[in-house]
Amino acid sequence: MAGLVETPFLGNKDKIEKGEERKGKSRGEEIGEVREKEMVPGTGSSIKRSGSRPQLDLSGAAIQGNFEERDPTILLPNQSDDISHLALDIGGSLIKLVYFSRHEDKRVDDKRKKTVKQKFSIANGSRRSYPILGGRLHFVKFETGKINECLDFIKSKQLHCDAGMNPRRWTVDNPPNENVVVKATGGGAYKFADLFKEKLGVSLDKEDEMDCLVAGANFLLKAIRHEAFTHMEGVKEFVQIDQNDLFPYLLVNIGSGVSIIKVDGDGKFQRVSGTNVGGGTYWGLGKLLTKCKSFDELLELSQRGDNGAIDMLVGDIYGGMDYSKIGLSASTIASSFGKAISESKELQDFRPEDISLSLLRMISYNIGQIAYLNALRFGLKRIFFGGFFIRGHAYTMDTISFAVHFWSKGDAKAMFLRHEGFLGALGAFMSYEKHGLDDLMVHQLVERFPMGAPYVGGKIHGPPLGDLNEKISWMEKFVRKGIEISAPVPMSPRATTGLGGFEVPSSKGDALRSDASNLNVGVLHLVPTLEVFPLLADPKTYEPNTIDLSDQNELEYWLTVLSEHLPDLVDKQAVASEGGTDDAKRRGDAFARAFSAHLARLMEEPAAYGKLGLAYLLELREECLREFQFTDAYRSIKQRENEASLAVLSDLLLELDSMSEESRLLTLIEGVLAANIFDWGSRACVDLYHKGTIIEIYRMSRKKMQRPWRVDDFDRFKERMLGSREERSSPHKRALLFVDNSGADVVLGMLPLARELLRHGTEVVLVANSLPALNDVTAMELPDIVAEAAKHCDILRRAAEAGGLLVDAMVNNNDSPKAGSSSVPLMVVENGCGSPCIDLRQVSSELAAAAKDADLIILEGMGRALHTNFNARFKCDALKLAMVKNQRLAEKLIQGNIYDCVCRYEPSS
């Protein structure tokens, strides 16, 4: 990820002062000197802040995990104090826990970075081999009836300790602070206060339940891109909320009862209505009528029910006919439990499954109707539902959605929140003083979905995992080798009930699929250095993904491609990159099973991790590799291909210099397209590599570059670059070259093109990955490649010196300048991601700064120019170059064939 730019946040001054006071003082003295501060609430804020804890800097959040996994973890990159903020929402049924974890950043000292900082006026940051993951927010659930499990979890992870997330710091001589205060909301904050004091030695600071609920909802709706969704007839669609147009809205919280809240802004809300018929009603009546012992069991029964056996339907009254005059279908419920009156049956004569479904529909329909009537009362069309009653249960959401749609005649939609169960806990977390969440932007949150027990608060969760070895052991126990993995926790496909056209989840055995929030648990990473790429023509309508994976056939195809590529990736790349050790094999096996589980989960429920795109699938694979400590699986291949390509670079440059300007430009574009064949993410290309050396394959590829290409805008690009015979074109001021693969791709393709731009007097910025992905070159690797290339070319040498890439004098600076050399700079910046694709809504701050004066963008490679951004429009000139190395993609995107080429030039919008 990108190097950090210092982001102002409340508490910076306090941190500096603490640092100065810390000199000569022990940790105990420091803690003793932290005094209670009175926080002045912000405008309209109803949540009081406590200054009794160290300050948590949450400026710049990012979710770790897949989009729709509910309850993800948040990353806090600017966090420097040792803090273990913990907040709880203790309800009658569930305990929702939000906690902060520290994550150390591995920094790499790079002198070249200084020039980039000065050139682009970047205040802070140094190039890193890993993104800054200063901290994360995690979400976990426990049953209130098993509160001891929650207490054990907190104790084992030292979440209640005042000196941070590292349990190794606690010794007999350095015990935790006995006066720790933990924020909590919900009735259990009062009921269990003494238990927390007895077991953990902490005091619960009670926060108002309604304040927390609204604060949590506001944060999620403003900060998380794929938070809200609709759910109609089994189809989930994500809704992008404009944070500038969020208010007012109606928040319907369905717990034991129902509260309906009109939210007008941050801290501005009022409870306008409610009903005592809610989740408690469903559970209570269900328990009496069916003898179910748990809410989950009751929901499980409803999935096998037929409410037509007990409800009186319109068709029962009208002889199976619709009452079309007033818009009622035959399957519409005329009277819940109506048939129980007319039929001479006792309770035991009715199936518990039918009773449960009838109850569920009765209560859901009524809540939906009451909510819409309140929305109508205040002129609101945006209604969000949350609370214990919903719990990610598809049929419940369908029923509420149907009611809102029916009564509003389609004018209003029911919307749901992925983190709806954690609104209160998140709001309590935000009540800590100077938490920094208020200033978060949606592009500063990245959601990840690591595998393993710590992030799963559902039916299957193991003990807190202290390290990777424990995670692998947990997986080997619960996800055993030889057993087909259907998901991180086994799930089942949907089945149709035939009732009203609704599709509801079925179950496998006794495993309930109702509470997706138990499974879709991600990690929110807060990354303050991520920004929206400033050259996007319209950031609000920008969609990075080109391929629509909502098409089931497309989804199945790409999931199959990734699955088939997995054995080679594990054995020939990941494990081999670490010498084939037993440890590497064990981690490789764990990675394969974990990633297979993700793919199976997505095959079953494509929206499980949020709005799914091909870019996300490819990034998920890279994140999963990093999770099992394969940080650069293609390292040796990249080194070998870089060396082979650099060995022939001087011959290529001599060949280019012998050409006319027009011929040279065409040869350069042909060279980029030809060299783009070296892509270890393409199975067809990998098979091709066995047929010759890297240079032989490159030359063969160049010989086949016959125009016209499938997409061929070269003549338009040439005219912009060279002008006409009558008038010479003015050169571009600055060009951003988004590079792709290591080896021939960058050395023999993009570097010579960069050299030509430098000849024309254009500043060139090479944009590369912050983290390794496949055989893509990284921003950490590029300066060394440029330095080696500069030994063969004075143009590159002078430009690299001007760009600060040769500060270590890696080339002979006594070489005399040659004609045509340029002193305009050649620079390298990182893009802020570690994927073969790029989402330009989240790029590094240094890339955003470099884009300020850029008037040309060159996107190269399938991932950045085809899989993503093929349809993107920019404020400046854009050239998209790629060889299509997948037959299906070629057919779908350009109506062509594998190895067809794309040269797409788009003048500034």
Side-chain angles (χ1 to χ4, degrees):
M1 288 288 181
L4 277 179
V5 174
E6 189 167 48
T7 305
F9 70 101
L10 293 175
N12 254 336
K13 182 178 178 182
D14 292 340
K15 283 168 62 176
I16 294 171
E17 291 173 352
K18 283 182 189 176
E20 293 170 349
E21 293 171 1
R22 191 171 293 154
K23 296 176 181 178
K25 295 181 181 179
S26 68
R27 176 67 178 164
E29 290 172 334
E30 291 167 13
I31 294 174
E33 289 179 10
V34 176
R35 51 199 177 95
E36 187 78 26
K37 297 180 181 179
E38 184 173 349
M39 176 69 178
V40 179
T43 304
S45 176
S46 60
I47 293 187
K48 63 179 183 292
R49 312 290 190 198
S50 166
S52 60
R53 304 290 308 279
Q55 304 308 303
L56 180 60
D57 176 12
L58 296 190
S59 56
I63 304 181
Q64 177 176 7
N66 274 321
F67 279 115
E68 165 150 341
E69 289 271 340
R70 297 164 59 98
D71 324 327
T73 308
I74 308 181
L75 162 71
L76 313 175
N78 267 357
Q79 181 54 44
S80 60
D81 284 335
D82 288 326
I83 295 177
S84 79
H85 274 344
L86 163 69
L88 299 156
D89 179 3
I90 310 175
S93 307
L94 293 175
I95 299 171
K96 284 77 70 178
L97 184 152
V98 174
Y99 73 91
F100 166 81
S101 72
R102 186 76 183 273
H103 189 91
E104 297 296 337
D105 173 39
K106 299 181 180 180
R107 302 193 177 191
V108 177
D109 183 26
D110 192 345
K111 297 177 182 178
R112 305 176 185 89
K113 189 73 172 179
K114 296 179 181 178
T115 303
V116 175
K117 288 171 57 181
Q118 294 169 357
K119 178 69 178 177
F120 302 134
S121 302
I122 299 175
N124 189 22
S126 60
R127 183 171 293 119
R128 297 169 170 86
S129 57
Y130 300 90
I132 293 182
L133 306 179
R136 301 169 181 176
L137 289 182
H138 302 255
F139 301 80
V140 186
K141 284 183 181 180
F142 298 91
E143 293 181 25
T144 306
K146 300 177 181 178
I147 191 170
N148 284 327
E149 289 186 5
C150 176
L151 295 171
D152 291 343
F153 180 83
I154 293 172
K155 188 172 183 180
S156 64
K157 295 187 76 69
Q158 299 289 327
L159 301 183
H160 60 306
C161 299
D162 198 42
M165 305 307 296
N166 187 353
R168 290 174 294 181
R169 295 189 180 191
W170 298 107
T171 64
V172 175
D173 298 328
N174 187 27
N177 186 354
E178 295 181 357
N179 298 316
V180 172
V181 174
V182 171
K183 295 288 186 179
T185 189
Y190 297 87
K191 181 177 180 180
F192 298 108
D194 292 341
L195 182 62
F196 273 80
K197 188 67 174 179
E198 176 189 345
K199 298 288 187 180
L200 301 178
V202 301
S203 300
L204 297 185
D205 186 7
K206 291 86 172 175
E207 294 292 332
D208 181 77
E209 197 165 353
M210 206 71 72
D211 287 349
C212 292
L213 188 72
V214 173
N218 285 348
F219 165 70
L220 293 169
L221 288 169
K222 288 191 292 185
I224 300 179
R225 180 170 281 114
H226 297 109
E227 177 62 29
F229 62 92
T230 60
H231 204 289
M232 282 286 287
E233 298 185 359
V235 177
K236 179 182 291 185
E237 292 186 3
F238 290 95
V239 180
Q240 183 58 49
I241 304 296
D242 184 350
Q243 61 178 345
N244 297 317
D245 188 34
L246 172 61
F247 306 110
Y249 68 84
L250 206 65
L251 178 61
V252 182
N253 188 55
I254 313 173
S256 297
V258 181
S259 289
I260 299 177
I261 306 161
K262 179 174 178 282
V263 182
D264 294 300
D266 290 322
K268 300 176 182 178
F269 63 89
Q270 58 176 325
R271 185 180 188 275
V272 294
S273 185
T275 172
N276 58 355
V277 179
T281 312
Y282 174 60
W283 194 348
L285 285 175
K287 186 176 181 180
L288 290 173
L289 296 174
T290 68
K291 307 304 180 184
C292 284
K293 296 180 180 179
S294 72
F295 193 90
D296 282 346
E297 185 183 354
L298 191 61
L299 283 176
E300 171 70 15
L301 280 179
S302 73
Q303 294 176 180
R304 302 194 298 269
D306 175 6
N307 68 300
I310 193 167
D311 289 341
M312 184 178 292
L313 309 180
V314 169
D316 294 326
I317 300 173
Y318 287 89
M321 303 291 290
D322 297 340
Y323 190 179
S324 55
K325 184 176 180 179
I326 59 174
L328 298 179
S329 69
S331 62
T332 301
I333 299 173
S335 174
S336 294
F337 288 86
K339 287 182 180 175
I341 300 173
S342 57
E343 298 184 14
S344 56
K345 292 183 179 180
E346 299 297 328
L347 177 61
Q348 60 269 21
D349 297 324
F350 291 98
R351 295 172 64 237
E353 294 87 343
D354 302 337
I355 293 173
S356 178
L357 182 59
S358 179
L359 273 175
L360 180 65
R361 298 190 75 167
M362 176 182 75
I363 293 169
S364 298
Y365 278 151
N366 277 274
I367 292 172
Q369 181 181 10
I370 294 170
Y372 168 67
L373 292 174
N374 275 280
L376 184 66
R377 172 187 170 196
F378 293 103
L380 306 176
K381 290 189 177 181
R382 194 175 289 145
I383 313 171
F384 297 101
F385 292 84
F388 168 76
F389 178 68
I390 295 173
R391 308 181 68 194
H393 190 246
Y395 196 82
T396 303
M397 292 187 288
D398 273 350
T399 308
I400 291 173
S401 297
F402 177 83
V404 171
H405 182 271
F406 177 85
W407 291 108
S408 71
K409 293 182 170 58
D411 288 342
K413 287 185 177 181
M415 287 184 280
F416 306 91
L417 304 177
R418 290 169 44 211
H419 298 76
E420 50 84 15
F422 287 89
L423 300 186
L426 186 55
F429 183 89
M430 294 178 69
S431 68
Y432 285 111
E433 182 184 8
K434 302 176 183 177
H435 53 75
L437 283 173
D438 290 336
D439 299 322
L440 269 180
M441 304 292 286
V442 66
H443 57 264
Q444 294 172 322
L445 288 130
V446 178
E447 188 175 14
R448 306 289 181 213
F449 292 88
M451 180 68 61
Y455 309 113
V456 181
K459 290 182 174 301
I460 298 180
H461 65 274
L465 306 184
D467 55 28
L468 180 61
N469 185 59
E470 290 185 15
K471 175 179 286 191
I472 294 174
S473 296
W474 178 83
M475 290 185 61
E476 290 171 342
K477 180 178 180 181
F478 288 100
V479 191
R480 296 183 181 181
K481 191 173 183 179
I483 299 176
E484 181 181 356
I485 304 173
S486 61
V489 178
M491 304 290 286
S492 59
R494 293 193 297 263
T496 303
T497 63
L499 296 174
F502 289 122
E503 290 184 52
V504 298
S506 65
S507 61
K508 292 180 179 177
D510 296 326
L512 177 66
R513 188 188 179 278
S514 65
D515 190 359
S517 64
N518 280 345
L519 307 171
N520 303 334
V521 181
V523 181
L524 282 178
H525 290 241
L526 283 70
V527 186
T529 53
L530 291 180
E531 300 184 25
V532 178
F533 189 58
L535 293 178
L536 286 173
D538 186 359
K540 288 186 178 180
T541 60
Y542 168 76
E543 168 56 49
N545 291 286
T546 306
I547 302 299
D548 182 9
L549 292 189
S550 63
D551 182 328
Q552 187 65 26
N553 290 330
E554 285 295 325
L555 177 64
E556 290 181 6
Y557 172 77
W558 289 106
L559 290 178
T560 301
V561 167
L562 290 172
S563 180
E564 290 177 347
H565 186 241
L566 198 53
D568 281 351
L569 174 60
V570 173
D571 298 331
K572 297 181 181 179
Q573 306 306 330
V575 175
S577 70
E578 301 193 10
T581 64
D582 290 341
D583 174 67
K585 290 178 181 178
R586 186 167 181 247
R587 286 186 286 114
D589 182 63
F591 156 72
R593 286 183 280 122
F595 188 56
S596 296
H598 283 303
L599 295 181
R601 177 78 172 93
L602 292 170
M603 179 70 83
E604 178 194 331
E605 188 180 350
Y609 297 164
K611 187 177 180 180
L612 186 61
L614 185 56
Y616 175 72
L617 277 179
L618 298 176
E619 184 178 17
L620 176 62
R621 177 182 59 192
E622 301 303 323
E623 287 294 336
C624 198
L625 277 168
R626 286 189 277 270
E627 182 182 354
F628 291 93
Q629 296 183 1
F630 293 106
T631 57
D632 194 354
Y634 290 81
R635 178 172 54 248
S636 59
I637 289 176
K638 291 192 293 183
Q639 291 173 347
R640 183 172 66 248
E641 293 187 352
N642 285 338
E643 292 171 0
S645 301
L646 285 165
V648 298
L649 175 62
S650 58
D651 293 338
L652 174 62
L653 297 182
L654 285 173
E655 177 188 347
L656 290 167
D657 288 343
S658 68
M659 299 178 180
S660 67
E661 192 174 39
E662 185 173 324
S663 296
R664 185 166 64 240
L665 184 61
L666 174 59
T667 303
L668 285 165
I669 298 301
E670 287 178 341
V672 170
L673 295 172
N676 193 233
I677 198 171
F678 295 96
D679 184 348
W680 284 82
S682 166
R683 172 57 66 89
C685 291
V686 172
D687 293 341
L688 188 65
Y689 301 158
H690 300 302
K691 299 179 181 180
T693 66
I694 182 172
I695 302 307
E696 290 171 342
I697 295 169
Y698 169 68
R699 287 173 178 162
M700 176 193 69
S701 182
R702 270 190 66 181
K703 287 179 181 179
K704 293 184 177 181
M705 287 290 113
Q706 299 295 323
R707 294 187 66 198
W709 302 310
R710 193 62 187 175
V711 177
D712 193 338
D713 294 334
F714 172 76
D715 292 334
R716 296 172 63 204
F717 178 66
K718 181 185 71 174
E719 183 179 352
R720 171 62 186 88
M721 285 288 294
L722 305 181
S724 61
R725 291 184 178 180
E726 294 78 19
E727 184 178 358
R728 180 82 177 179
S729 294
S730 59
H732 290 96
K733 181 178 180 180
R734 179 183 294 165
L736 303 180
L737 275 60
F738 289 75
V739 296
D740 189 10
N741 305 302
S742 294
D745 197 6
V746 66
V747 175
L748 305 180
M750 290 299 276
L751 273 183
L753 180 58
R755 177 178 180 261
E756 186 67 15
L757 290 166
L758 292 167
R759 278 178 182 263
H760 285 250
T762 300
E763 293 183 1
V764 175
V765 180
L766 300 176
V767 184
N769 268 13
S770 300
L771 293 172
L774 293 173
N775 64 318
D776 291 2
V777 67
T778 68
M780 285 295 295
E781 297 161 347
L782 258 181
D784 291 335
I785 294 173
V786 171
E788 287 298 316
K791 294 177 180 179
H792 306 287
C793 174
D794 191 64
I795 296 174
L796 289 176
R797 179 182 67 81
R798 290 174 61 84
E801 287 176 344
L805 297 179
L806 301 182
V807 293
D808 297 324
M810 289 171 285
V811 297
N812 184 1
N813 290 327
N814 295 322
D815 292 345
S816 59
K818 298 179 182 179
S821 65
S822 172
S823 60
V824 292
L826 172 64
M827 294 165 284
V828 172
V829 300
E830 53 187 342
N831 59 19
C833 71
S835 167
C837 303
I838 186 167
D839 182 345
L840 294 173
R841 294 171 299 191
Q842 294 180 308
V843 302
S844 73
S845 56
E846 65 181 61
L847 173 53
K852 181 179 178 182
D853 297 319
D855 50 2
L856 173 64
I857 295 171
I858 299 180
L859 291 162
E860 185 240 355
M862 282 214 310
R864 296 163 187 82
L866 299 184
H867 290 320
T868 54
N869 301 305
F870 186 67
N871 299 317
R873 294 295 178 265
F874 300 95
K875 297 176 182 177
C876 66
D877 294 349
L879 181 65
K880 300 168 184 177
L881 300 171
M883 176 185 285
V884 189
K885 290 152 289 191
N886 176 278
Q887 180 62 34
R888 186 184 182 94
L889 184 66
E891 294 172 358
K892 190 158 186 84
L893 200 58
I894 59 174
Q895 293 75 53
N897 293 300
I898 191 169
Y899 304 129
D900 277 348
C901 292
V902 172
C903 176
R904 188 175 189 177
Y905 174 67
E906 298 158 343
S908 59
S909 299

